[in-house]
Short mmCIF file of all heavy atoms in Angstrom, two decimals:
data_model
loop_
_atom_site.label_atom_id
_atom_site.label_comp_id
_atom_site.label_asym_id
_atom_site.label_seq_id
_atom_site.Cartn_x
_atom_site.Cartn_y
_atom_site.Cartn_z
N ASN A 221 102.83 117.79 120.01
CA ASN A 221 104.22 117.88 120.45
C ASN A 221 105.12 118.52 119.39
O ASN A 221 106.00 119.32 119.71
CB ASN A 221 104.75 116.49 120.81
CG ASN A 221 104.18 115.97 122.11
OD1 ASN A 221 103.65 116.74 122.92
ND2 ASN A 221 104.25 114.67 122.32
N THR A 222 104.91 118.14 118.12
CA THR A 222 105.72 118.74 117.06
C THR A 222 105.48 120.24 116.98
O THR A 222 106.42 121.03 116.79
CB THR A 222 105.42 118.08 115.71
OG1 THR A 222 105.72 116.68 115.78
CG2 THR A 222 106.26 118.71 114.60
N CYS A 223 104.23 120.64 117.14
CA CYS A 223 103.90 122.07 117.13
C CYS A 223 104.64 122.79 118.24
O CYS A 223 105.19 123.88 118.04
CB CYS A 223 102.39 122.25 117.26
SG CYS A 223 101.84 123.96 117.12
N VAL A 224 104.66 122.20 119.43
CA VAL A 224 105.39 122.79 120.56
C VAL A 224 106.86 122.93 120.21
O VAL A 224 107.49 123.97 120.47
CB VAL A 224 105.21 121.95 121.83
CG1 VAL A 224 106.17 122.40 122.93
CG2 VAL A 224 103.77 122.03 122.33
N ASN A 225 107.44 121.88 119.60
CA ASN A 225 108.86 121.93 119.23
C ASN A 225 109.13 123.04 118.24
O ASN A 225 110.15 123.75 118.34
CB ASN A 225 109.28 120.58 118.65
CG ASN A 225 109.27 119.46 119.66
OD1 ASN A 225 109.18 119.70 120.87
ND2 ASN A 225 109.34 118.22 119.20
N VAL A 226 108.23 123.20 117.26
CA VAL A 226 108.41 124.24 116.25
C VAL A 226 108.32 125.63 116.87
O VAL A 226 109.19 126.49 116.65
CB VAL A 226 107.35 124.09 115.13
CG1 VAL A 226 107.39 125.29 114.19
CG2 VAL A 226 107.56 122.80 114.36
N VAL A 227 107.28 125.87 117.64
CA VAL A 227 107.07 127.20 118.23
C VAL A 227 108.20 127.54 119.20
O VAL A 227 108.70 128.66 119.21
CB VAL A 227 105.71 127.27 118.93
CG1 VAL A 227 105.52 128.63 119.59
CG2 VAL A 227 104.58 127.02 117.93
N THR A 228 108.61 126.58 120.01
CA THR A 228 109.71 126.81 120.95
C THR A 228 110.98 127.19 120.21
O THR A 228 111.68 128.15 120.59
CB THR A 228 109.94 125.56 121.81
OG1 THR A 228 108.75 125.25 122.54
CG2 THR A 228 111.08 125.78 122.79
N ALA A 229 111.27 126.46 119.13
CA ALA A 229 112.48 126.75 118.35
C ALA A 229 112.40 128.14 117.72
O ALA A 229 113.38 128.90 117.73
CB ALA A 229 112.67 125.68 117.28
N LEU A 230 111.24 128.50 117.19
CA LEU A 230 111.08 129.81 116.55
C LEU A 230 111.19 130.94 117.57
O LEU A 230 111.80 131.99 117.29
CB LEU A 230 109.75 129.87 115.82
CG LEU A 230 109.63 129.04 114.54
CD1 LEU A 230 108.22 129.07 114.00
CD2 LEU A 230 110.61 129.52 113.48
N ARG A 231 110.61 130.76 118.74
CA ARG A 231 110.71 131.80 119.77
C ARG A 231 112.16 132.01 120.19
O ARG A 231 112.61 133.15 120.35
CB ARG A 231 109.84 131.44 120.97
CG ARG A 231 108.35 131.48 120.68
CD ARG A 231 107.53 131.00 121.85
NE ARG A 231 107.17 132.07 122.77
CZ ARG A 231 106.44 131.91 123.86
NH1 ARG A 231 106.02 130.70 124.20
NH2 ARG A 231 106.14 132.93 124.64
N HIS A 232 112.87 130.92 120.38
CA HIS A 232 114.28 131.03 120.76
C HIS A 232 115.11 131.67 119.64
O HIS A 232 116.16 132.27 119.91
CB HIS A 232 114.84 129.66 121.09
CG HIS A 232 114.33 129.11 122.40
ND1 HIS A 232 114.43 127.78 122.74
CD2 HIS A 232 113.71 129.72 123.43
CE1 HIS A 232 113.89 127.60 123.94
NE2 HIS A 232 113.44 128.78 124.38
N ALA A 233 114.61 131.53 118.38
CA ALA A 233 115.34 132.09 117.24
C ALA A 233 115.01 133.55 116.99
O ALA A 233 115.54 134.15 116.05
CB ALA A 233 115.04 131.27 115.99
N GLY A 234 114.09 134.13 117.79
CA GLY A 234 113.83 135.56 117.66
C GLY A 234 112.40 135.95 117.39
O GLY A 234 112.08 137.14 117.37
N LEU A 235 111.49 134.97 117.17
CA LEU A 235 110.09 135.31 116.96
C LEU A 235 109.40 135.46 118.32
O LEU A 235 108.56 134.66 118.73
CB LEU A 235 109.39 134.24 116.12
CG LEU A 235 109.56 134.38 114.59
CD1 LEU A 235 110.98 133.97 114.19
CD2 LEU A 235 108.54 133.53 113.84
N THR A 236 109.76 136.51 119.01
CA THR A 236 109.29 136.71 120.39
C THR A 236 107.95 137.41 120.48
O THR A 236 107.41 137.57 121.58
CB THR A 236 110.34 137.54 121.16
OG1 THR A 236 110.52 138.80 120.48
CG2 THR A 236 111.66 136.79 121.24
N GLN A 237 107.39 137.83 119.33
CA GLN A 237 106.12 138.57 119.33
C GLN A 237 104.91 137.67 119.12
O GLN A 237 103.78 138.17 119.05
CB GLN A 237 106.15 139.65 118.25
CG GLN A 237 107.34 140.60 118.33
CD GLN A 237 107.42 141.30 119.67
OE1 GLN A 237 106.43 141.86 120.14
NE2 GLN A 237 108.58 141.25 120.30
N LEU A 238 105.12 136.36 119.01
CA LEU A 238 104.01 135.45 118.72
C LEU A 238 102.95 135.52 119.81
O LEU A 238 103.25 135.42 121.00
CB LEU A 238 104.52 134.02 118.59
CG LEU A 238 105.29 133.68 117.30
CD1 LEU A 238 105.82 132.25 117.36
CD2 LEU A 238 104.39 133.86 116.08
N GLU A 239 101.70 135.68 119.38
CA GLU A 239 100.55 135.74 120.28
C GLU A 239 99.61 134.56 120.10
O GLU A 239 98.96 134.13 121.05
CB GLU A 239 99.76 137.04 120.05
CG GLU A 239 100.58 138.31 120.28
CD GLU A 239 99.81 139.54 119.85
OE1 GLU A 239 98.68 139.39 119.29
OE2 GLU A 239 100.31 140.67 120.06
N GLN A 240 99.52 134.07 118.86
CA GLN A 240 98.59 132.99 118.55
C GLN A 240 99.28 131.93 117.71
O GLN A 240 100.13 132.25 116.87
CB GLN A 240 97.38 133.51 117.76
CG GLN A 240 96.47 134.45 118.50
CD GLN A 240 95.25 134.81 117.67
OE1 GLN A 240 95.06 134.34 116.55
NE2 GLN A 240 94.38 135.65 118.24
N VAL A 241 98.88 130.67 117.94
CA VAL A 241 99.34 129.55 117.11
C VAL A 241 98.10 128.78 116.67
O VAL A 241 97.25 128.42 117.49
CB VAL A 241 100.29 128.62 117.89
CG1 VAL A 241 100.58 127.36 117.09
CG2 VAL A 241 101.59 129.35 118.22
N HIS A 242 97.99 128.56 115.36
CA HIS A 242 96.87 127.83 114.79
C HIS A 242 97.40 126.55 114.14
O HIS A 242 98.02 126.61 113.07
CB HIS A 242 96.14 128.70 113.76
CG HIS A 242 95.49 129.90 114.35
ND1 HIS A 242 94.13 129.99 114.58
CD2 HIS A 242 96.02 131.08 114.80
CE1 HIS A 242 93.85 131.17 115.12
NE2 HIS A 242 94.98 131.84 115.26
N LEU A 243 97.20 125.42 114.80
CA LEU A 243 97.61 124.13 114.26
C LEU A 243 96.56 123.70 113.25
O LEU A 243 95.42 123.36 113.61
CB LEU A 243 97.75 123.11 115.39
CG LEU A 243 98.16 121.68 114.98
CD1 LEU A 243 99.45 121.68 114.17
CD2 LEU A 243 98.30 120.80 116.22
#
Side-chain angles (χ1 to χ4, degrees):
N221 287 342
T222 299
C223 185
V224 169
N225 293 346
V226 171
V227 177
T228 300
L230 289 174
R231 292 175 89 179
H232 288 163
L235 277 74
T236 58
Q237 306 303 310
L238 286 176
E239 300 172 355
Q240 294 185 2
V241 171
H242 295 257
L243 179 55

